[in-house]
Amino acid sequence: VIIHGVSLGGATTLQTWTQVNFGRDLTTKNVIGLVDDCGYDSMTGIIKGMTSVDIGKELLKAITGKDNLYDIVGDNNVKNVLMNVIKVGIKANEFDLKQDSFYSGTLGSRKMSNVPLYIIHGTADTTVPFSISKNIVSVKAKQASLLYNFWEVPSMPHAFIIVGVQKDTYQANLASFIKYAENRVNTNNNDNKNETDKDKSEEKDKNNDKSSSNNKKEDKKENKQKKNFLEKIIEAIREFFEKLFG
């Protein structure tokens, strides 16, 4: 199974890849790879990216001391709007964990997915800023020790690579990624099989050694019994002749 999402679907794919309730169980669901096309890793992150301005940035900085509009509004106010106005359905005590695929509060302690991810993003995306995916591959995925491939597509807008002039390259790249994911699974299966065969062989050797040791003990016991029997016969013969010629 390959999980493939575009835009909001890409965000869901990232959540599936990293969240503790999903990521650790992907291989048991026969998932061998995931594709995130221009997704985002957090709701607050995409809002911050969309409210960042290049035009007038220096003037904004000079007037407010802030680099973007998001910082003026403030992180807590944005979260309040998402929870209480837009009503995204996440409680305050679990908001960061559930809205942020790479939430640092549990990132280091939770068991992450070992299924590879293919990230695709156009550099001209103004809906989900390209900088989000760039930050994922340059910082967050590396910190979490996750497997990923990244296709940076120059001058392409939001969610257009899959249907635009790059669609043939898109399909070819996906086919290559799927082949990579399949080969990876086959290699892991062979490694597991070899490890299982090795364990069975070692267990068999242990059993053989144990059996050989038991056989040696039995042989020793049997030889001792024979020796005792012969000694008793010899003693009986000796006593017989002593009485006969005594």
Side-chain angles (χ1 to χ4, degrees), residues 70-242:
Y70 183 95
D71 290 337
I72 296 173
V73 176
D75 192 60
N76 289 333
N77 288 328
V78 172
K79 292 179 181 180
N80 184 60
V81 169
L82 287 169
M83 287 185 289
N84 301 315
V85 179
I86 299 176
K87 297 186 183 300
V88 294
I90 304 176
K91 297 178 181 179
N93 63 342
E94 58 184 11
F95 183 82
D96 287 322
L97 174 62
K98 290 193 173 180
Q99 72 94 24
D100 186 350
S101 296
F102 294 92
Y103 174 53
S104 60
T106 57
L107 191 60
S109 60
R110 67 190 183 204
K111 182 180 179 182
M112 309 293 281
S113 171
N114 64 349
V115 176
L117 174 77
Y118 189 29
I119 301 175
I120 304 168
H121 214 132
T123 60
D125 193 334
T126 56
T127 304
V128 178
F130 169 75
S131 58
I132 289 178
S133 288
K134 191 71 173 177
N135 187 47
I136 290 173
V137 301
S138 62
V139 179
K140 296 181 178 180
K142 289 182 178 180
Q143 288 177 343
S145 300
L146 295 167
L147 296 172
Y148 65 90
N149 292 293
F150 183 41
W151 181 24
E152 176 181 329
V153 190
S155 305
M156 292 302 292
H158 184 68
F160 201 73
I161 308 168
I162 192 171
V163 294
V165 294
Q166 294 272 21
K167 65 179 182 180
D168 290 339
T169 305
Y170 192 103
Q171 293 175 358
N173 286 355
L174 280 188
S176 296
F177 175 73
I178 292 171
K179 188 67 177 176
Y180 155 75
E182 290 174 338
N183 289 338
R184 185 173 175 276
V185 170
N186 291 335
T187 299
N188 288 342
N189 287 340
N190 288 335
D191 289 344
N192 291 336
K193 182 179 183 301
N194 291 337
E195 191 65 29
T196 300
D197 291 343
K198 180 182 177 182
D199 290 342
K200 288 182 178 179
S201 177
E202 290 176 351
E203 185 65 26
K204 184 178 180 181
D205 290 341
K206 288 180 181 178
N207 290 335
N208 288 339
D209 291 342
K210 185 176 180 181
S211 176
S212 176
S213 176
N214 290 337
N215 288 339
K216 289 179 179 179
K217 288 180 179 179
E218 290 296 325
D219 289 343
K220 187 175 181 181
K221 182 179 179 181
E222 184 178 351
N223 290 336
K224 185 176 181 181
Q225 290 175 341
K226 288 180 179 179
K227 182 179 178 181
N228 291 338
F229 179 71
L230 289 174
E231 287 177 348
K232 288 180 179 180
I233 292 177
I234 293 172
E235 180 64 21
I237 293 174
R238 185 182 65 79
E239 290 179 354
F240 172 77
F241 279 105
E242 284 181 351

Side-chain angles (χ1 to χ4, degrees), residues 17-59:
W17 192 47
T18 62
Q19 287 294 311
V20 64
N21 293 330
F22 303 107
R24 68 169 57 178
D25 297 324
L26 285 179
T27 52
T28 65
K29 308 297 183 184
N30 297 318
V31 175
I32 64 172
L34 306 96
V35 181
D36 157 38
D37 183 345
C38 63
Y40 53 90
D41 59 337
S42 70
M43 287 183 282
T44 53
I46 188 176
I47 294 172
K48 186 171 185 176
M50 293 173 69
T51 54
S52 297
V53 292
D54 291 324
I55 300 175
K57 186 174 183 178
E58 292 181 1
L59 180 60

